[in-house]
Amino acid sequence: MASVVEYKGLKAGYHCGYCDSEEGKVSCGMWAHSMTVQDYQDLIDRGWRRSGKYVYKPVMNQTCCPQYTIRCRPLQFQPSKSHKKVLKKMLKFLAKGEISKGNYEDDPMEPTMEDTVAGDFGLINKLDIQCDLKTLSGDLTESFDSEEKKKGKSPKKGESNEFIQSQDIEEKLGSGEPSHPVKMPMAPKPGKGADLSKPPCRKAKEIRKERKRLKLMQQNPAGEPEGFQAQGEPPSLFPPKANKSNQPKSLEDLIFESLPENASHKLEVRVVRSSPPSSQFKATFQESYQVYKRYQMVIHKDPPDKPTVSQFTRFLCSSPLEAENPPNGPDCGYGSFHQQYWLDGRIIAVGVIDILPYCVSSVYLYYDPDYSFLSLGVYSALREIAFTRQLHQKTSQLSYYYMGFYIHSCPKMKYKGQYRPSDLLCPETYVWVPIEQCLPSLENSKYCRFNRDPEAVDEGRSKDPDRLQVFYKKAIMPYGVYKKQQKDPGEEAAVLQYARLVGQTCSERMLLFRN
């Protein structure tokens, strides 16, 4: 199955959900009628991102709020004190039903679908999929049907692709997470920058524990400081029990701490394939939608008639990603999933994610506002990091957690930088640079090239546009052949812009639809 995309070009001068500028946002976009997971992996490694079936790339040196792709390195991740606090709060709630008093942070604001796509859904032409409940599994329209029959392969393992993870089962890690539009509640307090070096206020007991830990580390000079691992992977995600007294608790220890038999609540995380929709996804669709609707109305102040079934479907259920189940891949396969958080038999939160060849990519999180006190944005992000580590055990190249976009110029979006170690993508050469090296530059300028080598260029750039693949009148041909048939002078500029943005490899693999 090849990816089939329809390039829509540059869109400038529209509303930005980050800084509220009426016409500061600039991006390029395309409709993905279908897409392989490898093509999407390569595109997000060039700064693209999807919202439903629309795939877009901010024009970084022009847009009002440059959006840098950010990825966390889960294998070296150690939870911070504030992360541990959220995990302990959840355990207390599950064990004893205790609800922490005091303020809890709101989820940071990320734009809604309308901000992200900025009305581009209005550009849907006759080729685009009409998404409503009846056509959840709707395929490409007639112009692609014959192409699909030749190439399309849907996985047979559909029903076995569901994971159910119970809070007290240590063998299976789960996750559910945020990113695209709304994410982890880690925003700094208003008026303050995210000072990552400054510890929060702590109780005397915590300070004593910290001193004890430091003393142990001095006795063990090889021990890494908390929050960072040097190079390479930890020898094991689940170290032998004997060592545990000398080490800070791992993320898994904190998430899967055993609960008493008479625990007040039961939490489980179920990973269900959303595209094509599995039977479990279909069975829970209405309940999941109702959580989304409440979330949009309470958190984003949407009027009751705005979060419709069709909006929910095309934004968070429809995906261009083709499901793939190779033998060396994760048990659940690659593609698009919903991670449902079930508390005492009902859904309280849903993380929308894509599982790709090298990463888990976070798309969105929505939750029941009644459970805001559990800091579900942070909790689900930590579950997703643990989930990535679990997938890595079987599929070794899958070792990153993509958190969407980092926006340094938007105070509410800087919280993603608190999941360390992490890297930002250089917008000119598409290499990954540790975030610590990027932050000083971002303090001086919204737009930065992070690659410090002035001679470095984009190695994946389009070098031979004539080899770009075009899908025209149900035939596939190189652009070099196609352009000889064209009279439209604007055609070449659009195709070359597309080639430059997707790079040579994707331009030769993906089919650019022209009509």
Side-chain angles (χ1 to χ4, degrees):
M1 176 68 202
S3 301
V4 180
V5 299
E6 188 175 355
Y7 186 59
K8 293 293 188 183
L10 183 127
K11 186 170 174 62
Y14 60 98
H15 177 259
C16 172
Y18 300 110
C19 67
D20 221 26
S21 146
E22 278 311 311
E23 43 191 45
K25 207 162 186 181
V26 185
S27 71
C28 294
M30 58 190 174
W31 283 101
H33 298 287
S34 68
M35 187 168 278
T36 66
V37 289
Q38 186 61 59
D39 283 340
Y40 186 54
Q41 175 73 65
D42 290 349
L43 287 174
I44 61 174
D45 285 334
R46 292 182 66 83
W48 292 81
R49 189 134 190 91
R50 79 173 183 89
S51 179
K53 293 194 170 196
Y54 185 74
V55 188
Y56 64 99
K57 180 179 178 356
V59 180
M60 300 289 279
N61 57 358
Q62 294 177 37
T63 194
C64 53
C65 296
Q67 295 156 262
Y68 297 93
T69 303
I70 182 169
R71 73 176 188 189
C72 172
R73 284 176 259 148
L75 305 185
Q76 292 87 34
F77 175 82
Q78 287 282 0
S80 69
K81 289 184 187 70
S82 61
H83 294 149
K84 288 175 183 172
K85 210 169 162 183
V86 169
L87 295 173
K88 284 172 184 167
K89 179 166 64 175
M90 176 65 86
L91 286 169
K92 267 187 187 174
F93 172 72
L94 295 175
K96 302 174 186 169
E98 282 181 23
I99 296 175
S100 303
K101 293 185 174 68
N103 294 334
Y104 36 84
E105 314 95 322
D106 289 329
D107 272 273
M109 175 275 308
E110 289 206 31
T112 59
M113 174 188 63
E114 283 72 15
D115 293 321
T116 306
V117 181
D120 272 333
F121 279 117
L123 299 174
I124 294 179
N125 59 24
K126 62 180 182 288
L127 278 167
D128 291 300
I129 294 80
Q130 296 300 308
C131 286
D132 58 25
L133 208 44
K134 289 178 194 158
T135 57
L136 252 177
S137 55
D139 225 313
L140 301 185
T141 47
E142 285 170 27
S143 55
F144 292 107
D145 281 349
S146 56
E147 201 69 30
E148 293 303 290
K149 279 170 191 161
K150 280 186 275 179
K151 298 177 181 172
K153 288 178 189 170
S154 62
K156 300 228 165 79
K157 288 161 79 177
E159 303 315 333
S160 63
N161 288 345
E162 316 302 332
F163 286 178
I164 296 182
Q165 292 133 351
S166 195
Q167 177 63 29
D168 49 5
I169 296 176
E170 223 178 272
E171 305 85 80
K172 292 184 179 179
L173 303 185
S175 153
E177 134 70 320
S179 163
H180 198 162
V182 178
K183 236 185 121 185
M184 315 157 238
M186 289 298 294
K189 296 283 184 286
K192 291 187 183 176
D195 185 351
L196 301 177
S197 62
K198 199 171 178 185
C201 295
R202 297 180 296 162
K203 292 177 182 168
K205 185 178 166 188
E206 284 183 72
I207 293 168
R208 284 198 300 276
K209 274 188 186 170
E210 180 71 5
R211 282 186 190 139
K212 189 178 174 187
R213 194 179 67 75
L214 288 169
K215 195 174 174 186
L216 285 165
M217 279 175 64
Q218 282 160 5
Q219 290 164 9
N220 170 26
E224 288 298 330
E226 183 181 5
F228 292 90
Q229 186 88 20
Q231 286 94 23
E233 298 168 17
S236 165
L237 295 178
F238 305 102
K241 296 266 188 263
N243 297 342
K244 286 196 174 178
S245 59
N246 294 341
Q247 295 180 342
K249 281 188 175 180
S250 73
L251 179 60
E252 288 77 13
D253 292 336
L254 290 160
I255 290 173
F256 295 102
E257 197 165 299
S258 55
L259 294 168
E261 277 184 31
N262 61 344
S264 299
H265 299 287
K266 184 187 177 191
L267 177 74
E268 60 182 22
V269 175
R270 300 180 190 174
V271 181
V272 300
R273 187 178 282 284
S274 53
S275 178
S278 66
S279 57
Q280 289 90 336
F281 179 82
K282 290 175 185 171
T284 56
F285 179 88
Q286 273 301 333
E287 184 176 352
S288 185
Y289 162 65
Q290 291 302 330
V291 175
Y292 169 76
K293 185 173 180 175
R294 285 205 64 216
Y295 174 81
Q296 291 297 118
M297 286 164 58
V298 176
I299 305 295
H300 285 291
K301 309 291 184 265
D302 279 1
D305 58 342
K306 193 179 176 189
T308 61
V309 167
S310 68
Q311 186 237 35
F312 169 66
T313 302
R314 69 182 182 217
F315 178 31
L316 295 175
C317 307
S318 295
S319 167
L321 299 183
E322 297 293 325
E324 291 180 32
N325 288 79
N328 59 344
D331 293 338
C332 56
Y334 296 112
S336 296
F337 298 84
H338 279 199
Q339 293 191 306
Q340 302 171 335
Y341 288 71
W342 289 78
L343 182 72
D344 304 331
R346 53 185 286 255
I347 298 175
I348 62 160
V350 178
V352 181
I353 59 162
D354 294 327
I355 299 177
L356 303 175
Y358 308 127
C359 74
V360 169
S361 172
S362 147
V363 180
Y364 200 80
L365 174 84
Y366 56 94
Y367 56 82
D368 184 334
D370 288 349
Y371 294 90
S372 294
F373 64 88
L374 288 172
S375 304
L376 290 167
V378 179
Y379 181 77
S380 64
L382 296 169
R383 289 288 298 235
E384 286 205 339
I385 288 169
F387 183 53
T388 307
R389 285 155 63 135
Q390 180 209 355
L391 296 180
H392 169 79
Q393 291 187 303
K394 184 185 178 203
T395 307
S396 59
Q397 76 274 17
L398 202 164
S399 52
Y400 295 103
Y401 173 57
Y402 284 48
M403 295 181 279
F405 288 135
Y406 174 81
I407 304 170
H408 192 76
S409 55
C410 176
K412 285 189 171 184
M413 291 301 294
K414 288 162 80 169
Y415 67 92
K416 292 181 187 180
Q418 297 180 10
Y419 291 78
R420 301 283 182 96
S422 57
D423 311 300
L424 297 182
L425 187 67
C426 174
E428 294 179 12
T429 61
Y430 303 113
V431 297
W432 294 98
V433 179
I435 192 168
E436 294 84 351
Q437 292 176 30
C438 305
L439 294 177
S441 309
L442 287 169
E443 286 297 325
N444 297 325
S445 168
K446 279 184 182 181
Y447 173 75
C448 300
R449 170 194 167 107
F450 300 134
N451 192 327
R452 290 178 179 175
D453 176 3
E455 305 298 312
V457 294
D458 166 16
E459 295 294 340
R461 68 193 180 281
S462 171
K463 301 180 185 82
D464 186 358
D466 280 359
R467 290 174 61 181
L468 177 151
Q469 294 296 297
V470 173
F471 186 36
Y472 178 60
K473 291 187 175 173
K474 297 190 183 179
I476 295 167
M477 62 190 78
Y479 178 62
V481 173
Y482 167 79
K483 70 180 178 184
K484 289 173 185 163
Q485 308 171 26
Q486 293 310 305
K487 307 278 192 289
D488 179 2
E491 176 94 356
E492 186 161 27
V495 173
L496 293 179
Q497 184 181 65
Y498 160 82
R500 180 175 60 79
L501 296 172
V502 302
Q504 186 70 31
T505 304
C506 281
S507 75
E508 288 187 45
R509 270 198 318 239
M510 302 195 306
L511 305 179
L512 176 64
F513 177 82
R514 308 308 283 167
N515 57 3

